[in-house]
Amino acid sequence: MVVTIIGVGLIGGSLALSLKAHGVAGSVIGVDQSAENLRKALELNLIDEGTTDLAAAVRRSSLVVVAVPMDAMLTVLPQVLDVVDQQVVIDVGSTKEKLLTAVADHPHRDRFVAVHPMAGTEYSGPEAAVPHLFEDKTLVICDAEHSHPAAVALVEKVFQQLQMRLVYLDAASHDVHTAYVSHISHITSFALALTVLEKEKEEQRIFELASGGFESTVRLAKSSSAMWVPIFRQNRLNVLDVLDEHLRQLQHMRDILQQEDYQAFTNLIEQANVIRKILK
Amino acid sequence: MVVTIIGVGLIGGSLALSLKAHGVAGSVIGVDQSAENLRKALELNLIDEGTTDLAAAVRRSSLVVVAVPMDAMLTVLPQVLDVVDQQVVIDVGSTKEKLLTAVADHPHRDRFVAVHPMAGTEYSGPEAAVPHLFEDKTLVICDAEHSHPAAVALVEKVFQQLQMRLVYLDAASHDVHTAYVSHISHITSFALALTVLEKEKEEQRIFELASGGFESTVRLAKSSSAMWVPIFRQNRLNVLDVLDEHLRQLQHMRDILQQEDYQAFTNLIEQANVIRKILK
């Protein structure tokens, strides 16, 4: 089938590669407001053709993927739904409640299936697109009951072909859980980078001494503000809630270290070690 | 040469593998207070023989590596120095000031070279030992002027054979810099695991939704309290100092999000992105 991907960055570009590699997409039309991104996406063979004419691309497609930052998503998704007829439309966004509210009353709402592939990297743009990004990862499908069953069935089939695990959540639960297991990690990583850049004035020392552990915890601090500020904005209350809990936990560790209560510190680390059971 | 490694865990065991693989050690004697660890280290071919007789092993060796947790280090290192004659002794510990103070007046102080390989994983014990852990990593040599030049030269030669980059620091600077680029990462990771375990009562959801980003930031929370509590204890003031800065940075991000000042939030993320320049 013909697939249109709007936004040929890390996620849109990686999805284009996967859909073609798994034989889901016969051809991929890329739509992007940046002519430069379209040029790169063509050069990298992410897409078969590029255009800025969104409506024409949508009309020629069976499946439309909207892979733009969450602030743009609020205006682009309704524009796409204005054009669709029998096409199936998905977003791949990291927050859901505001988006689903924005299209709740759209006459073509049932052509839209809200999904969130739990996969990504700290890089962005067409050059960041990689194959195999989605294999063995989770796809969250949100509020599936508001989509036409045939549209949901097509989306399920497509992402099963991409070897993803499917999980079903309502939009509100999705936003709570992603604040816990994704958004807070980005906040802590940004703050850790700022901390170390503030304290460690000798950049050469960071480079020399940083080991895998530091790189691992600070890796997400390379992520782009264009993608993440709209996510934090749309999931603000959930992010604030988990951030407040994180501040309490850190302050508690600080107080215990200040007081030299090493038995309590040991107990906290052993509680944290429970994460071993959950993550391989 | 014959090398004795005291403490056949992640670091001691990995070093044993590396020293043999690079032809530095003809044979490795393992010393451990745990008979079980010695049994495993023999079974895994980390060491050629195991003993609990520290003094006898040291006397038969040219190089002695003390790779025990930092609290035990304060008592084991002087015991080793009591026995040495012409042997060279190194620690591989993560903190230096208290250790170097503890042996400052030892009559064999100049046989000891304080080193810290900036490498590790979140696992521990002999089963966690891996080859190639040290290649292309940094080795910090501390207060080299207090060691015999021939002892320093031997250590430099050994770790260059292991393909490590050598960096020289005084003990106080070492402890400051490692608080910034290593110890704080462990604190934030432990606190992040505690946060998510507290907020996310459905462990199955963490498992289903956690992506690479979350795993990356929380990976170090699997690290053992036996190794890390003594490090935080011995580097307490530096860790508190950087932790206070981290709490300020996080609180600032929280306040800006609370106030919905998204331009300021964008600026902070772009400042954090500077870490891209420093880490590949």
Side-chain angles (χ1 to χ4, degrees):
Chain A
M1 64 179 150
V2 177
V3 177
T4 282
I5 295 189
I6 304 168
V8 290
L10 163 69
I11 299 296
S14 297
L15 199 51
L17 287 174
S18 297
L19 290 171
K20 287 205 285 189
H22 286 88
V24 177
S27 74
V28 174
I29 308 172
V31 178
D32 205 293
Q33 64 178 11
S34 155
E36 176 65 8
N37 275 359
L38 285 178
R39 192 190 61 72
K40 286 185 196 160
L42 276 167
E43 196 177 285
L44 294 163
N45 286 316
L46 306 179
I47 57 176
D48 299 296
E49 55 180 298
T51 177
T52 52
D53 187 345
L54 186 149
V58 168
R59 275 191 289 264
R60 289 171 50 206
S61 305
S62 302
L63 176 67
V64 180
V65 180
V66 192
V68 298
M70 288 310 301
D71 49 352
M73 191 77 83
L74 294 178
T75 53
V76 175
L77 179 62
Q79 285 168 14
V80 173
L81 291 180
D82 289 347
V83 182
V84 301
D85 171 8
Q86 287 306 303
Q87 297 88 340
V88 173
V89 181
I90 60 171
D91 75 319
V92 286
S94 298
T95 57
K96 293 295 182 220
E97 256 198 302
K98 287 204 193 314
L99 181 67
L100 292 187
T101 302
V103 297
D105 299 324
H106 196 285
H108 298 151
R109 168 66 183 87
D110 71 343
R111 303 311 305 162
F112 169 56
V113 184
V115 307
H116 181 192
M118 303 303 295
T121 76
E122 64 274 33
Y123 304 109
S124 51
E127 315 83 322
V130 285
H132 312 300
L133 183 62
F134 304 104
E135 282 166 24
D136 297 321
K137 303 288 169 54
T138 295
L139 182 85
V140 182
I141 301 182
C142 286
D143 290 1
E145 68 280 11
H146 293 142
S147 307
H148 193 286
V152 175
L154 176 80
V155 169
E156 289 170 336
K157 190 172 159 219
V158 163
F159 284 95
Q160 275 162 348
Q161 282 179 268
L162 264 50
Q163 298 169 36
M164 297 193 78
R165 280 187 302 273
L166 306 185
V167 167
Y168 299 82
L169 286 175
D170 64 273
S173 298
H174 167 275
D175 286 5
V176 168
H177 290 301
T178 51
Y180 298 164
V181 301
S182 166
H183 305 171
I184 185 66
S185 289
H186 286 78
I187 297 264
T188 61
S189 203
F190 289 128
L192 184 61
L194 290 169
T195 301
V196 172
L197 290 167
E198 173 63 31
K199 296 297 289 184
E200 184 66 273
K201 296 299 184 188
E202 303 166 62
E203 293 189 359
Q204 182 62 22
R205 283 277 175 255
I206 304 180
F207 174 77
E208 285 172 351
L209 301 179
S211 64
F214 177 68
E215 294 199 17
S216 174
T217 48
V218 88
R219 173 171 77 79
L220 300 180
K222 300 176 184 174
S223 304
S224 86
S225 59
M227 172 170 174
W228 280 96
V229 170
I231 292 172
F232 296 137
R233 180 177 197 147
Q234 291 187 22
N235 206 17
R236 177 170 161 269
L237 294 180
N238 289 321
V239 169
L240 282 173
D241 180 53
V242 65
L243 182 49
D244 283 341
E245 176 63 28
H246 186 57
L247 280 161
R248 273 192 295 275
Q249 295 285 354
L250 266 181
Q251 186 65 49
H252 183 49
M253 291 191 99
R254 189 221 173 274
D255 293 343
I256 279 174
L257 186 57
Q258 174 67 39
Q259 294 154 19
E260 303 199 65
D261 184 349
Y262 297 110
Q263 185 54 54
F265 210 97
T266 300
N267 295 345
L268 280 182
I269 290 181
E270 286 170 1
Q271 282 174 41
N273 287 163
V274 168
I275 207 77
R276 288 177 189 159
K277 281 197 317 185
I278 302 169
L279 302 178
K280 288 178 297 298
Chain B
M1 64 178 151
V2 177
V3 178
T4 282
I5 294 188
I6 304 169
V8 290
L10 162 70
I11 299 295
S14 298
L15 200 51
L17 287 174
S18 297
L19 291 171
K20 287 205 285 188
H22 286 88
V24 177
S27 74
V28 174
I29 309 173
V31 178
D32 205 293
Q33 62 177 13
S34 155
E36 175 65 7
N37 275 358
L38 285 178
R39 191 189 61 70
K40 285 185 197 161
L42 278 167
E43 197 177 285
L44 294 163
N45 287 316
L46 306 179
I47 57 176
D48 300 298
E49 57 179 298
T51 176
T52 53
D53 188 345
L54 185 148
V58 169
R59 275 190 289 265
R60 290 171 50 207
S61 306
S62 302
L63 177 66
V64 180
V65 180
V66 192
V68 299
M70 288 309 301
D71 48 352
M73 190 76 82
L74 294 179
T75 53
V76 175
L77 179 62
Q79 285 168 14
V80 172
L81 291 179
D82 289 347
V83 183
V84 300
D85 171 6
Q86 288 306 306
Q87 298 88 340
V88 173
V89 181
I90 61 171
D91 74 317
V92 286
S94 299
T95 58
K96 294 295 183 222
E97 257 198 303
K98 288 203 193 311
L99 181 67
L100 292 186
T101 303
V103 297
D105 298 324
H106 195 286
H108 299 151
R109 167 65 182 89
D110 71 343
R111 304 311 306 162
F112 168 57
V113 184
V115 307
H116 181 192
M118 303 303 295
T121 75
E122 64 274 32
Y123 304 109
S124 52
E127 314 84 323
V130 285
H132 313 298
L133 183 61
F134 305 105
E135 282 167 25
D136 298 320
K137 302 288 169 56
T138 294
L139 181 84
V140 183
I141 301 182
C142 286
D143 289 0
E145 69 280 12
H146 293 142
S147 308
H148 193 286
V152 175
L154 176 81
V155 169
E156 289 170 337
K157 191 173 158 216
V158 163
F159 284 95
Q160 274 162 349
Q161 282 179 270
L162 265 49
Q163 298 170 35
M164 297 192 77
R165 281 187 302 273
L166 307 186
V167 168
Y168 300 81
L169 287 175
D170 65 273
S173 299
H174 167 275
D175 286 5
V176 168
H177 290 301
T178 51
Y180 298 165
V181 301
S182 166
H183 305 172
I184 186 66
S185 290
H186 286 78
I187 297 263
T188 61
S189 204
F190 289 129
L192 185 61
L194 290 168
T195 301
V196 173
L197 290 167
E198 174 62 32
K199 297 297 291 185
E200 185 65 274
K201 296 300 186 191
E202 303 166 61
E203 293 189 358
Q204 181 62 23
R205 282 278 175 255
I206 304 180
F207 174 76
E208 285 173 351
L209 300 180
S211 63
F214 178 68
E215 293 198 19
S216 176
T217 48
V218 87
R219 173 172 80 78
L220 300 180
K222 300 175 184 175
S223 303
S224 87
S225 59
M227 171 168 174
W228 280 95
V229 171
I231 292 172
F232 297 137
R233 181 177 197 148
Q234 292 187 22
N235 206 17
R236 175 169 161 270
L237 294 180
N238 290 321
V239 169
L240 282 173
D241 180 52
V242 64
L243 182 48
D244 282 342
E245 177 62 29
H246 186 57
L247 280 162
R248 272 192 297 275
Q249 295 285 356
L250 266 180
Q251 185 66 49
H252 184 49
M253 291 190 98
R254 188 221 174 274
D255 292 344
I256 279 174
L257 186 57
Q258 173 69 37
Q259 295 154 17
E260 304 198 66
D261 184 349
Y262 297 110
Q263 185 53 55
F265 211 95
T266 300
N267 296 346
L268 280 182
I269 290 182
E270 287 171 1
Q271 281 173 43
N273 287 164
V274 168
I275 207 76
R276 288 177 188 160
K277 282 196 317 182
I278 303 169
L279 302 178
K280 288 176 300 290

